[in-house]
Amino acid sequence: MTEPVSTLLDRMADALRRHLSEQHITDPALVGIHTGGVWVAEQLHQRLGLNEPLGKLDISFYRDDFSRMGMHPQVRPSSLPFAVDERHILLVDDVLFTGRTIRAAMNELFDYGRPASVMLAVLVERDGRELPIQAQVVGQHLKLRADEQVKLRGPDPLRLDIVQLEPAS
């Protein structure tokens, strides 16, 4: 069972404030991964009271299954309205599962420059990692069966649904 998204976002904002304070980071840049990660990042940006505009990444061209799956029909331009070089970046996504989306996002991020650090914050983390990627801030850990998936619906209101995957034919 999932907790209300607003509760998870409050928990994440508190954890981010603590982490930034412990690391002596005063001016982070927040970057959301389209689509769900941007929704989460918008909420965190507001809760943290950040002045820097929100960055948005569309990783469609950076996915490792791009040649196999083809182009997603809703490709959006990435927007990083700040310099990445030597910035502390808070990368935000909705669900951390295999780690492949985060790897693609970091590849794109590094094409913009060399950040001082990248910290990962995710609304939901579930089992099934295929790459050694770990979030520093997690709203909720979920244990799901192999035939289940968690989906963030939104943007207004944001809610989490656990859905049954269709059997492969």
Side-chain angles (χ1 to χ4, degrees), residues 108-128:
E108 182 172 358
L109 191 59
F110 275 79
D111 279 352
Y112 282 88
R114 186 181 188 279
S117 67
V118 178
M119 183 176 77
L120 178 60
V122 296
L123 186 65
V124 174
E125 177 182 59
R126 63 166 293 183
D127 295 340

Side-chain angles (χ1 to χ4, degrees), residues 65-139:
D65 59 359
F66 174 74
S67 61
R68 188 168 43 108
M69 302 294 284
M71 179 58 64
H72 189 278
Q74 291 186 347
V75 176
R76 299 166 185 86
S78 291
S79 169
L80 294 178
F82 45 79
V84 170
D85 285 322
E86 297 307 315
R87 290 298 303 271
H88 295 282
I89 305 291
L90 301 177
L91 185 61
V92 179
D93 204 8
D94 54 349
V95 179
L96 175 57
F97 180 27
T98 64
R100 293 181 182 277
T101 297
I102 304 306
R103 182 212 48 87
M106 289 194 306
N107 285 352
E108 182 172 358
L109 191 59
F110 275 79
D111 279 352
Y112 282 88
R114 186 181 188 279
S117 67
V118 178
M119 183 176 77
L120 178 60
V122 296
L123 186 65
V124 174
E125 177 182 59
R126 63 166 293 183
D127 295 340
R129 207 80 64 249
E130 295 173 359
L131 300 175
I133 291 178
Q134 171 182 320
Q136 285 73 32
V137 171
V138 175

